[in-house]
């Protein structure tokens, strides 16, 4: 018994001695763990760095070391910083790697299928390399550098491709983008970023654009009009907007279209499928234009989409018949010429341009193909021919032309409209090829089969193709639309000409939700 007691006492003394030594050497152990962690991280960074960039990285590191050496107390401060970093990374729990689980069996199968689908596009016919990146049955781990899944589908992907791939050809890039969009999940929109210098392609599945944006006076400068809202990839500016059911406004990136004397794209063409929201876009633009100018409406199909604007301050007319449309467009052409003449005379005399000439004039023309068909049947002048003067000289005269048409009648638009309306909007569920025929550049992917009203793309001149969601601007006289949306539009309408214009209050009280009446459009 005495022998066992002595043995237990010896074990306890040894354990206490080890604990004491560990307590004394704890700072040293922490620093050793931190140095080991920093070494592992540095080695991993070195392995990820391409070979062509390792030399410049070493040069920068050597230059920084020499600069620290010549600075007063530089080596001492560098040593203290290294000790602090080692202590931070060596603390308890810092060196424990995050629990990382590799892709599941189903995810590996998806990545394998995607790799095999890309082999015919990235595998050249005669590859001189002994181990090409893309071969049937090859290892997808070599080319898929980063990937992420969301809801069981690939949401983010970074892949490398051979340098022999013709990434400078738009057709070749479009083929690969279509394969990636089809294999990673249809019904979503994607963003592709080609790094032609590093032979890498990054794909990201985009979140849907926010719907339910109510019509409100947006915060813009004079000459700026909000077409809709997009994501934050191409647009860094934001404006506060009100969402249906939200208590407070949220900041959303807008698609801003600039008009006026200094605008590069003073006229707009909107093309969409039936029910896609082109008339809603025109109403949204008209409500914004009426804050600072006058608007003339020409409703080509006579559906009464703009009857809520009839007999209101700032609205010059709402024409829905062929004789009325011809008379209105003839007046618009003469008004453009008059504005040009008055502006020229004022500048020749060195006087400021009169206010009534500087006030913007908007011509909103919906479905001109229907009017052109009627004019051809009655052997009268095509209404689109009367747009030549406003389109060609509208920027100098302060006249903006907005034309909306459907895809099936796109071939009936005249060359003058297509040449001068360089701000383009496409709405509805269309293919990238259809959208590219209007925008001049095909979007990387098209919207799904079922998209919200007012969803599409926009391109201003030679700028990038932007995703677009038009604000909810329904006809306030349409009883099939929700009451909040109708009231939001009605509060923005100017006061009726039968009531005195007393400012914003009159605009808010002049609207009454009521069914449309016969002959209300003028």
């Amino acid at each position: 018994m005495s022998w066992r007691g002595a043995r237990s006492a010896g074990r306890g003394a040894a354990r206490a001695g080890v604990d004491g030594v560990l307590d004394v050497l704890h700072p040293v152990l922490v620093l050793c763990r931190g140095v080991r962690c920093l070494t592992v991280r540095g080695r991993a960074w070195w392995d990820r760095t391409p070979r062509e960039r390792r030399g410049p990285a070493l040069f920068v590191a050597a230059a920084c070391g020499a600069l620290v050496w010549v600075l007063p107390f530089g080596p001492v401060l560098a040593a203290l910083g290294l000790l602090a970093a080692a202590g931070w990374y060596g603390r308890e729990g810092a060196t424990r790697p995050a629990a990382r689980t590799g892709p599941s069996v189903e995810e590996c199968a998806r990545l394998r299928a995607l790799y095999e689908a890309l082999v015919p596009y990235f595998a050249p016919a005669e590859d001189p390399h002994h181990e090409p990146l893309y071969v049937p049955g090859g290892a997808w781990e070599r080319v898929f550098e980063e990937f992420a899944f969301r809801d069981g589908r690939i949401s983010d992907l970074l892949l490398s491709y051979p340098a022999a791939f013709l990434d400078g050809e738009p057709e070749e890039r479009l083929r690969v983008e279509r394969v990636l969009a089809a294999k990673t999940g249809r019904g979503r929109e994607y963003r592709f970023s080609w790094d032609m210098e590093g032979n890498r392609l990054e794909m990201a599945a985009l979140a849907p654009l926010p719907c339910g944006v109510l019509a409100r006076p947006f915060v813009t400068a004079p000459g700026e009009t909000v077409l809709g809202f997009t994501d934050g990839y191409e647009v860094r500016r934001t404006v506060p907007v009100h969402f249906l059911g939200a208590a407070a406004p949220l900041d959303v990136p807008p698609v801003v279209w600039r008009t006026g004397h200094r605008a590069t794209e003073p006229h707009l063409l909107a093309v969409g499928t039936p029910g896609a929201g082109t008339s809603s876009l025109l109403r949204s633009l008209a409500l914004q234009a009426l804050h600072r100018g006058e608007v003339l409406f020409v409703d080509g199909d006579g559906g009464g989409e703009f009857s809520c604007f009839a007999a209101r301050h700032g609205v010059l007319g709402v024409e829905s018949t062929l004789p009325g449309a011809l008379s209105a467009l003839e007046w618009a052409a003469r008004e453009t010429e008059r504005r040009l003449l008055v502006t020229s005379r004022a500048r020749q005399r060195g006087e400021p341009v009169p206010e009534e000439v500087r006030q913007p004039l908007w011509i909103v023309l919906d479905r001109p193909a229907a009017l052109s068909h009627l004019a051809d049947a009655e052997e009268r002048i095509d209404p689109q021919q009367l747009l030549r003067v406003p389109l060609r000289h509208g920027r100098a005269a302060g006249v903006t032309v907005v034309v909306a048409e459907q895809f099936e009648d796109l071939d009936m638009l005249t060359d003058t409209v297509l040449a001068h309306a360089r701000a383009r909007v496409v709405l509805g569920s269309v293919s990238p090829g259809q959208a590219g025929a209007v925008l001049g550049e095909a979007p990387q992917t098209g919207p799904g089969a079922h998209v919200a009203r007012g969803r599409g793309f926009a391109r201003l001149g030679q700028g990038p193709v932007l995703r677009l969601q038009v604000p909810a601007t329904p006809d306030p006289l349409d009883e099939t639309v929700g009451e909040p949306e109708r009231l939001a539009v009605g509060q923005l309408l100017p006061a009726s000409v039968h009531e005195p214009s007393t400012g914003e209050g009159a605009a808010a009280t002049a609207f009454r939700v009521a069914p449309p009446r016969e002959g209300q459009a003028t």
Side-chain angles (χ1 to χ4, degrees), residues 37-55 57-58 142 145-146 200:
C37 182
L38 291 176
T39 304
V40 172
R41 288 174 176 267
R43 180 59 184 273
W45 172 81
W46 181 260
D47 293 338
R48 293 194 308 267
T49 304
R51 294 182 178 180
E52 63 272 10
R53 298 183 182 179
R54 293 180 178 179
L58 287 177
R142 295 180 55 198
E145 301 180 6
E146 298 178 7
R200 286 180 174 84

Side-chain angles (χ1 to χ4, degrees), residues 25-374:
L25 298 179
H26 179 72
V28 179
L29 296 177
V30 170
L31 293 178
C32 291
R33 279 202 306 265
V35 171
R36 182 171 60 85
C37 182
L38 291 176
T39 304
V40 172
R41 288 174 176 267
R43 180 59 184 273
W45 172 81
W46 181 260
D47 293 338
R48 293 194 308 267
T49 304
R51 294 182 178 180
E52 63 272 10
R53 298 183 182 179
R54 293 180 178 179
L58 287 177
F59 175 78
V60 172
C64 293
L67 181 62
V68 171
W69 181 263
V70 300
L71 287 177
F73 304 102
V76 177
L77 295 177
L80 293 177
L82 180 61
L83 290 176
W88 177 261
Y89 282 99
R91 70 190 189 280
E92 290 293 337
T95 57
R96 298 176 184 174
R100 179 177 178 178
T101 59
S104 62
V105 177
E106 183 181 356
E107 293 174 349
C108 289
R110 285 182 174 271
L111 293 172
R112 164 63 60 185
L114 179 59
Y115 174 84
E116 296 294 340
L118 293 175
V119 168
Y121 301 92
F122 283 145
E126 297 180 359
D127 196 341
H129 297 85
H130 298 288
E131 296 182 0
L133 294 176
Y134 291 86
V135 291
W140 58 265
E141 296 87 350
R142 295 180 55 198
V143 296
F144 295 162
E145 301 180 6
E146 298 178 7
F147 53 86
F149 285 82
R150 185 170 62 244
D151 299 332
R153 298 193 296 180
I154 301 176
S155 60
D156 297 276
L157 180 66
L158 176 62
L159 62 87
S160 57
Y161 57 88
F165 176 71
L166 302 178
D167 51 8
E169 300 294 334
E171 295 80 7
E172 298 294 333
R173 297 198 305 268
L174 185 59
R175 292 173 58 194
V176 174
E177 292 171 0
R178 289 176 177 174
V179 171
L180 288 173
K183 292 297 181 180
T184 55
R186 298 181 181 273
R188 299 188 297 178
E189 295 182 65
Y190 299 89
R191 176 181 176 83
F192 300 97
S193 300
W194 291 83
D195 181 12
M196 300 183 185
E197 182 180 358
N199 296 325
R200 286 180 174 84
L201 170 60
E202 182 179 2
M203 182 201 73
L206 302 177
L209 292 177
C211 300
V213 179
L214 296 178
R216 285 290 190 274
F218 303 115
V219 181
T220 56
E224 292 183 345
T225 306
V226 175
L227 296 179
F229 301 93
T230 182
D231 48 47
Y233 286 99
E234 298 288 349
V235 179
R236 303 303 177 188
R237 173 181 175 182
T238 59
V239 296
V241 298
H242 294 264
F243 286 88
L244 182 63
L250 301 177
D251 292 337
V252 181
V255 179
V256 177
W257 173 40
R258 293 174 175 84
T259 59
H261 298 281
R262 301 184 182 275
T264 56
E265 298 85 21
H267 310 296
L268 181 137
L269 171 63
V271 184
T273 57
T278 53
S279 299
S280 182
L281 172 63
L282 298 187
R283 281 190 292 268
S284 175
L285 298 178
L287 290 174
Q288 299 177 64
L290 286 172
H291 284 284
R292 301 185 178 97
E294 298 176 325
V295 181
L296 173 63
F297 292 93
V298 177
D299 189 2
D301 60 355
E305 295 289 342
F306 309 101
S307 58
C308 60
F309 291 94
R312 295 189 178 272
H313 288 283
V315 179
L316 301 178
V318 182
E319 302 295 343
S320 57
T321 62
L322 179 60
L326 293 177
S327 301
L329 295 178
E330 288 177 358
W331 173 87
R334 293 195 301 269
E335 175 66 12
T336 303
E337 296 174 347
R338 185 190 71 83
R339 288 178 171 228
L340 288 175
L341 183 60
V342 172
T343 302
S344 176
R345 290 177 177 176
R347 291 177 177 175
Q348 289 176 2
R349 293 192 298 263
E351 300 175 354
V353 180
E355 179 65 25
E356 56 93 13
V357 175
R358 290 190 289 113
Q359 186 179 24
L361 171 61
W362 286 61
I363 303 174
V364 178
L365 177 58
D366 190 19
R367 301 296 307 277
L371 294 175
S372 299
H373 179 73
L374 292 176

Side-chain angles (χ1 to χ4, degrees), residues 189 209 425-428 447 451-452 454-458 466-470:
E189 295 182 65
L209 292 177
V425 172
V426 172
L427 299 179
V451 296
R455 177 68 183 86
F457 300 94
L466 303 175
R467 303 166 70 204
L468 180 69
Q469 178 63 51
V470 177

